[in-house]
């Protein structure tokens, strides 16, 4: 059976591509440069509850469906129209191996070193 998007592609993301630079002390410094924008279907599920050091924390996660783009990898970041950064937390899946559609899970980056 052919794959179809669960809903309209109504979310615009900017792809943030990772760049690495070796510092004078030999460590790798990771930065991000802005790539192209793309339309996607983003579905959120109210976040995931987790207890960290005795404190209940809610992680905002979402599932993204979009057209296949080989530049989107697990180490990229996404920026939405509100300027929020999202981290890709699963390896993007090439649905049916056809290089037409992909799906992956993201998590918002807030309150941490972006």
């Amino acid at each position: 059976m052919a794959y179809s998007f669960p809903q309209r592609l109504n979310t615009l993301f900017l792809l943030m591509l990772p760049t690495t630079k070796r510092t004078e002390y030999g460590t790798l410094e990771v930065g991000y440069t802005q790539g192209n924008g793309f339309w996607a279907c983003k579905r959120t599920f109210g976040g995931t509850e987790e207890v960290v050091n005795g404190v209940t924390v809610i992680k905002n996660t979402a599932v993204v469906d979009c057209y296949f783009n080989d530049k989107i990898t697990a180490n990229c970041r996404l920026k939405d129209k509100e300027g929020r950064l999202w981290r890709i937390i699963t390896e993007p899946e090439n649905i049916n191996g056809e290089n037409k559609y992909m799906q992956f899970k993201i998590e918002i980056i807030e309150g941490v070193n972006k």
Side-chain angles (χ1 to χ4, degrees):
M1 185 153 105
Y3 173 82
S4 64
F5 292 115
Q7 58 192 49
R8 292 182 324 153
L9 303 179
N10 58 1
T11 303
L12 179 62
F13 283 112
L14 285 176
L15 182 61
M16 306 298 288
L17 301 165
T19 58
T20 55
K21 178 175 86 173
R22 191 159 301 277
T23 66
E24 63 182 281
Y25 301 109
T27 60
L28 282 180
E29 195 173 86
V30 178
Y32 294 90
T33 59
Q34 185 172 311
N36 294 331
F38 66 96
W39 289 96
C41 164
K42 179 181 86 172
R43 295 170 288 141
T44 60
F45 303 99
T48 305
E49 272 189 26
E50 195 174 278
V51 177
V52 178
N53 295 329
V55 177
T56 302
V57 178
I58 298 178
K59 288 184 168 185
N60 290 325
T61 58
V63 174
V64 173
D65 293 85
C66 62
Y67 287 106
F68 183 81
N69 181 344
D70 61 353
K71 293 187 183 334
I72 300 174
T73 61
N75 57 353
C76 292
R77 300 282 189 261
L78 304 178
K79 186 184 280 191
D80 62 18
K81 66 180 179 182
E82 289 86 20
R84 297 177 297 192
L85 284 175
W86 296 80
R87 169 183 21 245
I88 298 175
I89 57 175
T90 61
E91 189 68 36
E93 177 188 357
N94 180 1
I95 297 175
N96 295 332
E98 297 175 340
N99 293 349
K100 285 185 175 179
Y101 310 105
M102 63 189 324
Q103 182 181 78
F104 49 91
K105 193 168 185 180
I106 59 176
E107 171 184 64
I108 197 162
I109 303 172
E110 288 182 332
V112 296
N113 187 6
K114 298 177 185 179

